[in-house]
Amino acid sequence: MNRISMQDTYVLIMAGGVGSRFWPKSRNNFPKQFIDILGIGKSLLQLTHERFQKICPQENIFILSNEQYSGLVAEQLPGLPRENIIAEPSRNNTAPCIAYASFKISQLNPLAKIVVAPSDHLILNETVFLKKIQQALSYVGDNDALVTLGITPTRPDTGYGYINYNKEENEGVHQVLKFLEKPNLERAKEFVASGDYLWNAGIFVWSVGSILTALAKYSPAIFGLFEKGKTCYNTSDEKAFILENYPLSDNISIDYAIMEKAENVYTIPGEFGWSDLGTWASLYEVVDKDEHNNVFSGHTINLSDTTNCMIQIPKDKVAVIKGLDNFIVVDDGKVLLIYPKANEQEIKEVSKKIVALCGDDFA
């Protein structure tokens, strides 16, 4: 098995999302990847960046984000070279930004092996996670393969996409048979019971040659658009080319553009305490709770007859709460949200109504 050098390893951290399900804490101007959502003094982006410094030098880590957030990225990661912040001038989903970054990295190092990962996921068992990443890097060093890390499901969750995979393995790597969209509960139960399915975590590993070949074959319009600029990348002409051409790219995810079409897609199953932290309830599940199953982040609180609640208040506020069970309570200083945890899927739509009623300051 090929050992990949740290110098040939590159990481693309996707940090352009708006995190609308964490409203009101997560807003358009300060989304969840920049928030200390775990209450430990570091944002999810900072934790992700630290994690990947263990597999490659900092100059090989690139942050893909919307230009709206490039200042926030620079502020939170002061040691990151400024040119490693890839600022997208428009929101066109993940395929165009991965294509752009891949051409850019190919010019720097045609032997590059690339890890693509979200900035806002939680990894509780970092040692196991990094071992799986190294395993994937070694595999794509030897094979023309697009590898995705699959999460062994712990419950029939309807909030994740699933990967149907072949149980036969080669060096712990399995062929992907099919990607499936978020199922209903009945199908999710069938997936978990069969043992033939994994959660799709959106964490990918491939060589720069393999991803560019796949783009050329399965997404020629995106490939052709960014190939036009190959003499511009990593030069003073890059910015002007991207400003003009990036908004012309198709608005499509890497899953639809490549992963669901390609035949050389493989998965490495893993259990490393993963959560996409997609909702308040998913955060509640993974953080420490008090003796009444409450999760609290803030300064001072007076709780009585209150159980199973997720409570976040500003450091300078005192909360007095009585008689709540299974609620989300979030005060970001401008918006106070008190909502049943069981109905949290409604929060995204509620936030849209508030913005329509009260203005963009609340988006």
Side-chain angles (χ1 to χ4, degrees):
M1 189 180 281
N2 187 21
R3 289 297 299 164
I4 304 300
S5 79
M6 291 182 76
Q7 293 300 325
D8 287 340
T9 300
Y10 290 76
V11 176
L12 304 179
I13 299 175
M14 315 287 283
V18 295
S20 55
R21 285 180 175 83
F22 269 93
W23 186 89
K25 198 86 171 178
S26 178
R27 303 281 193 80
N28 277 342
N29 63 346
F30 203 84
K32 77 165 178 173
Q33 60 267 29
F34 301 108
I35 297 171
D36 174 19
I37 203 86
L38 300 172
I40 59 173
K42 293 177 182 175
S43 71
L44 294 172
L45 172 64
Q46 289 169 322
L47 290 170
T48 304
H49 177 256
E50 278 182 13
R51 185 179 305 129
F52 284 114
Q53 285 188 81
K54 294 169 184 168
I55 65 163
C56 73
Q58 181 164 237
E59 59 266 25
N60 287 12
I61 299 176
F62 290 80
I63 311 298
L64 278 59
S65 193
N66 188 270
E67 61 183 6
Q68 176 185 0
Y69 306 133
S70 55
L72 273 174
V73 174
E75 183 183 316
Q76 293 207 349
L77 305 177
L80 186 79
R82 197 65 194 253
E83 62 269 22
N84 287 29
I85 302 172
I86 299 181
E88 309 149 24
S90 60
R91 296 186 188 279
N92 288 32
N93 218 314
T94 53
C97 63
I98 288 172
Y100 169 23
S102 298
F103 272 105
K104 190 173 169 67
I105 289 171
S106 179
Q107 295 283 23
L108 295 171
N109 183 351
L111 300 177
K113 310 299 178 285
I114 301 173
V115 180
V116 181
S119 60
D120 55 358
H121 289 189
L122 178 70
I123 306 291
L124 291 175
N125 194 332
E126 200 168 87
T127 302
V128 173
F129 172 76
L130 293 176
K131 187 178 176 183
K132 295 289 183 182
I133 291 289
Q134 291 288 8
Q135 183 183 353
L137 286 165
S138 294
Y139 190 80
V140 302
D142 287 332
N143 301 277
D144 175 22
L146 308 174
V147 174
T148 179
L149 292 198
I151 310 301
T152 306
T154 56
R155 60 186 181 276
D157 201 300
T158 60
Y160 301 138
Y162 284 72
I163 300 167
N164 181 210
Y165 73 109
N166 189 332
K167 285 296 187 65
E168 293 181 14
E169 64 174 80
N170 175 21
E171 300 173 355
V173 181
H174 304 254
Q175 186 172 20
V176 169
L177 302 175
K178 193 175 183 182
F179 287 91
L180 297 107
E181 298 303 308
K182 297 173 184 177
N184 60 32
L185 185 57
E186 210 54 50
R187 288 203 80 198
K189 286 178 179 176
E190 291 171 11
F191 291 168
V192 175
S194 76
D196 296 331
Y197 294 81
L198 303 166
W199 287 336
N200 183 2
I203 302 167
F204 308 110
V205 183
W206 42 55
S207 69
V208 71
S210 290
I211 189 59
L212 289 177
T213 298
L215 282 162
K217 184 174 182 179
Y218 299 108
S219 197
I222 289 177
F223 178 86
L225 180 70
F226 289 102
E227 187 187 34
K228 282 194 311 180
K230 64 183 182 181
T231 59
C232 302
Y233 298 123
N234 308 303
T235 74
S236 57
D237 296 327
E238 178 179 335
K239 187 172 183 180
F241 172 80
I242 289 300
L243 281 173
E244 181 181 346
N245 289 278
Y246 193 95
L248 305 176
S249 61
D250 293 339
N251 187 333
I252 188 171
S253 72
I254 197 71
D255 299 74
Y256 283 130
I258 303 297
M259 301 303 283
E260 295 187 8
K261 298 176 183 176
E263 295 172 356
N264 59 331
V265 180
Y266 298 85
T267 188
I268 297 177
E271 294 181 61
F272 36 79
W274 171 86
S275 172
D276 70 344
L277 295 180
T279 62
W280 284 113
S282 64
L283 175 61
Y284 174 85
E285 290 299 322
V286 297
V287 293
D288 293 336
K289 301 164 187 66
D290 67 16
E291 65 273 23
H292 301 293
N293 277 328
N294 295 310
V295 174
F296 173 71
S297 176
H299 174 54
T300 306
I301 194 161
N302 183 310
L303 288 183
S304 56
D305 300 326
T306 293
T307 52
N308 307 308
C309 287
M310 175 89 213
I311 302 166
Q312 286 207 0
I313 62 170
K315 302 290 185 189
D316 59 349
K317 278 195 176 179
V318 174
V320 180
I321 299 173
K322 180 172 182 173
L324 283 187
D325 177 56
N326 217 33
F327 267 75
I328 299 163
V329 180
V330 180
D331 183 349
D332 83 325
K334 194 164 186 174
V335 176
L336 172 63
L337 174 77
I338 305 172
Y339 219 82
K341 197 138 49 77
N343 303 115
E344 70 154 356
Q345 69 276 7
E346 299 169 2
I347 290 176
K348 186 175 181 179
E349 291 305 314
V350 168
S351 69
K352 290 179 183 176
K353 291 177 183 174
I354 296 298
V355 171
L357 192 65
C358 304
D360 288 344
D361 285 352
F362 295 88

